[in-house]
Amino acid sequence: MKVYNSLTRGVETLAPIADNTIRLYTCGPTVYNFAHIGNFRAYTFEDILRRVVQFNGMKIKQVMNLTDVDDKTIRGANAAAVPLTTYTKTYKDAFFADLKMLNIQPAEIYPAATDHIPEMIALVQSLVDKGIAYQSDDKSVYFNVRKFPGYGKLAHIDFDHQQTGARCAADEYDKENVGDFALWKAWEESDGPVGWDSPWGRGRPGWHIECSAMSMKYLGETFDLHTGGIDNLFPHHENEIAQAEASTGKEFVKTWMHCAHLKVNGEKMSKSLGNFFTLRDLLEKGWTGREIRYVLINAHYRSGLNFAFTALEDARKSLARIDACVEKATEGAVPEWAQRHLDDFTAAVNDDLNIPKAFAALFELVRDANGKGAEGTLGVFRRMDEVLGVIFFGKAEKAAVPAEIQAMLDERAAARAAKNWAESDRLRDAIAAAGWLVKDSREGQSVTKK
C-alpha cells in the first residue's frame, strides 16, 4: 500500500511502526454547526483510507477529535444564551448521525477537547518550562516559532518571504502569517462562562494544542499517520508538529495525508452563492446517503472534487446498474476474469487510493458479469465493497422494515393508487431521509436500507 506523504512530498509505502496496527489521527469537526459536504469530502476520504488499511490485512486505531471549544463554539453558545456543552451536543449528535448515513466506519476513539483540558495544560507547561513558550502581556501563552528550528517543514515555508513576528491569538488566521501562536488564551469578557483555571490564569486552550495533546494521549508521542483537509496543513498541522516535537524531542508523525478542496458546480462553496449544502439539505432534496457517498469518493483525494447535482443523477444510475448485477451474483468458485478485475481493483486502491481507477475495475466486473454470467462473483463484489462501502447486497443483508417506515410505505401506496404524485414524492423523500431507499416496479414498491 503506497500513499503520498505531504511531509516528504513523495509516494511511500505505508507500513505500521508496531503491532501491524496503523495509528491514525484525523481532524474531526468543530461542532458549532451542521457539517457540510466539504467537510464530508475529508471524512469519506479518511474512511476510504482506513478501509484500505484493513483491506490489506493491517489493523487500525483511529482517533478523531471533536473540537467543542474554540472561537466559533464559544461565540455560538453565547449568542444562543445556552451552556457550551448544550450548544455543542446538538451538533455532535448530528455529526454521528451523518457519519452513519454516509456509511463511514466509526473511529475507535472520539475525544472531545473539553474532556482533555488537563492534558493540554500539561503540554503547554512543558513548552513553558523549555523556554519555547512564553506568557505575554495579555496573559495568554504563545509558542515562539523562532525557537523551534523545524517550524515550517510540513508547509515548506520560506521564512524570509513570510510575514513574521506578529502574535496570532485567533484560532484560525492568515496563512501568510507565521508569527507566534496561542497555546493558552486568557479569559476575556466575550468568553462568558467558558474558562478553566491554569498556572497562567483563567482561560482556555488554543485550537492547535488540542490535537497535539489528544493525539499523543491515545496514539503515543510518535505515531503512523495524520490526515485532514489541505486547508489544515498550515497553520494547524504545522503548529501541531511544532508543539509536539518541541515538547518530546521525538518525531511526531511519520506520514501526513491531505485531501483537496470540494467545489460546487465549479465554484467555492458559499452561502452567498446559494451552493452551500449540509448532508441534511441533500437528503431533503431526495438524494440518498449512498448516492452522496458515491460522488464524494469518486475522485482522487488529492484532486479537487466538483460536486454537482448531475453527478448525483449519474451516481443514482450507476448504483442501479451495480445493484441489478449484484442481484444476479452468486457464491462459488471465482471465474478467472473476475479475479483479474479484483486484482486490478486491489492495485488501484493500493496506488495512493486511486478510487476512480478502482471504480473502473468494478464496472469492468459488472460488464463481464452481465455478459458472461454472474455465477461466483458475489464474493468479488463483497471484497470490493470492503473499500467502497456503496454496494447493496439485497436479500443477503435485507433488514426488517420498522413500523414507522412501513406506515409511510402504506400511505405512499395509497397516494400512488389515487394518482397523488406530489404526496407520493413527499413520502418517498421522507422515507429516504429516514435512511431507506424506495424502488418502484411493476410488482409495486419495495424498500431497502441505505
Side-chain angles (χ1 to χ4, degrees):
M1 178 181 179
K2 294 185 179 296
V3 299
Y4 181 86
N5 187 348
S6 301
L7 181 64
T8 61
R9 299 195 176 180
V11 176
E12 303 171 354
T13 298
L14 182 64
I17 296 172
D19 304 327
N20 197 37
T21 300
I22 295 294
R23 290 167 175 82
L24 166 66
Y25 188 85
T26 55
C27 282
T30 300
V31 284
Y32 73 103
N33 207 334
F34 297 110
H36 55 70
I37 56 173
N39 301 135
F40 285 111
R41 199 276 158 105
Y43 304 144
T44 52
F45 143 63
E46 291 158 350
D47 181 60
I48 291 292
L49 173 62
R50 70 170 279 138
R51 285 169 177 264
V52 175
V53 167
Q54 295 170 110
F55 185 83
N56 279 280
M58 294 177 280
K59 294 181 288 185
I60 194 157
K61 181 179 181 181
Q62 180 184 1
V63 177
M64 176 182 276
N65 71 298
L66 302 173
T67 297
D68 58 354
V69 56
D70 78 325
D71 295 343
K72 292 176 180 176
T73 53
I74 292 172
R75 190 161 53 240
N78 290 343
V82 297
L84 182 66
T85 53
T86 301
Y87 181 77
T88 58
K89 184 179 186 304
T90 297
Y91 302 114
K92 289 178 183 178
D93 292 345
F95 174 68
F96 288 118
D98 289 349
L99 292 183
K100 188 174 182 180
M101 184 64 69
L102 288 174
N103 196 22
I104 292 175
Q105 293 183 350
E108 282 63 37
I109 304 170
Y110 289 101
T114 53
D115 292 331
H116 296 80
I117 302 299
E119 289 86 351
M120 297 170 200
I121 290 175
L123 181 53
V124 175
Q125 185 66 64
S126 74
L127 295 169
V128 171
D129 293 343
K130 291 175 181 291
I132 298 169
Y134 62 92
Q135 187 169 22
S136 69
D137 49 11
D138 69 358
K139 303 303 180 183
S140 295
V141 180
Y142 290 87
F143 186 98
N144 186 339
V145 298
R146 290 294 179 181
K147 291 197 174 182
F148 180 66
Y151 192 81
K153 64 182 177 181
L154 180 63
H156 294 246
I157 290 173
D158 178 0
F159 273 94
D160 294 334
H161 295 87
Q162 300 289 327
Q163 177 186 342
T164 60
R167 289 184 187 139
C168 305
D171 288 325
E172 300 174 72
Y173 50 84
D174 188 345
K175 296 186 188 325
E176 294 300 310
N177 193 330
V178 292
D180 299 349
F181 57 91
L183 301 171
W184 184 262
K185 301 180 72 171
W187 183 88
E188 298 177 349
E189 191 172 346
S190 60
D191 292 336
V194 179
W196 291 265
D197 293 330
S198 80
W200 315 283
R202 190 158 181 80
R204 52 99 170 173
W207 173 41
H208 311 294
I209 200 72
E210 297 177 6
C211 286
S212 295
M214 291 189 291
S215 62
M216 289 195 292
K217 174 173 181 175
Y218 293 104
L219 299 176
E221 293 179 339
T222 301
F223 56 92
D224 302 275
L225 183 58
H226 195 314
T227 65
I230 193 67
D231 54 315
N232 285 146
L233 189 149
F234 185 85
H236 184 51
H237 291 164
E238 192 73 62
N239 291 352
E240 282 189 58
I241 292 173
Q243 295 160 158
E245 295 188 357
S247 174
T248 68
K250 301 175 183 177
E251 182 180 22
F252 179 40
V253 177
K254 294 288 186 182
T255 303
W256 292 82
M257 296 176 69
H258 297 89
C259 68
H261 293 292
L262 174 144
K263 292 185 177 181
V264 177
N265 294 322
E267 297 183 296
K268 184 177 180 180
M269 192 165 57
S270 166
K271 290 182 179 178
S272 63
L273 293 175
N275 66 354
F276 183 97
F277 299 109
T278 65
L279 182 62
R280 284 164 172 69
D281 294 331
L282 297 177
L283 294 174
E284 288 173 3
K285 293 179 181 293
W287 303 105
T288 68
R290 192 165 67 124
E291 291 160 351
I292 298 164
R293 176 185 174 90
Y294 184 101
V295 175
L296 290 175
I297 67 174
N298 198 3
H300 194 278
Y301 75 93
R302 288 195 287 118
S303 299
L305 172 63
N306 185 38
F307 193 96
F309 287 103
T310 54
L312 286 168
E313 292 166 2
D314 291 342
R316 180 166 288 178
K317 294 173 185 175
S318 296
L319 288 167
R321 183 182 170 204
I322 296 168
D323 289 348
C325 185
V326 171
E327 284 180 7
K328 299 179 292 184
T330 65
E331 302 282 5
V334 176
E336 180 278 331
W337 54 265
Q339 182 61 50
R340 186 172 66 252
H341 296 319
L342 179 57
D343 291 343
D344 290 343
F345 179 92
T346 301
V349 299
N350 284 341
D351 181 18
D352 194 27
L353 312 184
N354 193 333
I355 298 304
K357 196 170 181 179
F359 267 116
L362 168 61
F363 281 106
E364 287 292 312
L365 174 65
V366 170
R367 185 199 64 185
D368 282 352
N370 286 333
K372 300 176 181 181
E375 293 81 7
T377 62
L378 186 58
V380 178
F381 281 110
R382 289 190 187 281
R383 181 68 170 147
M384 290 181 173
D385 200 55
E386 289 176 18
V387 173
L388 300 177
V390 296
I391 300 177
F392 175 71
F393 290 96
K395 295 179 181 179
E397 295 179 356
K398 189 172 182 180
V401 179
E404 60 272 20
I405 300 298
Q406 187 60 54
M408 285 193 283
L409 284 169
D410 293 342
E411 290 179 38
R412 185 171 184 269
R416 290 177 67 79
K419 299 188 184 304
N420 186 347
W421 308 119
E423 178 66 3
S424 171
D425 290 345
R426 186 193 70 78
L427 286 163
R428 181 199 64 204
D429 294 346
I431 293 167
W436 293 79
L437 178 65
V438 178
K439 291 184 180 180
D440 294 308
S441 66
R442 292 179 182 177
E443 290 74 32
Q445 63 182 358
S446 61
V447 66
T448 52
K449 194 81 172 76
K450 290 191 288 187

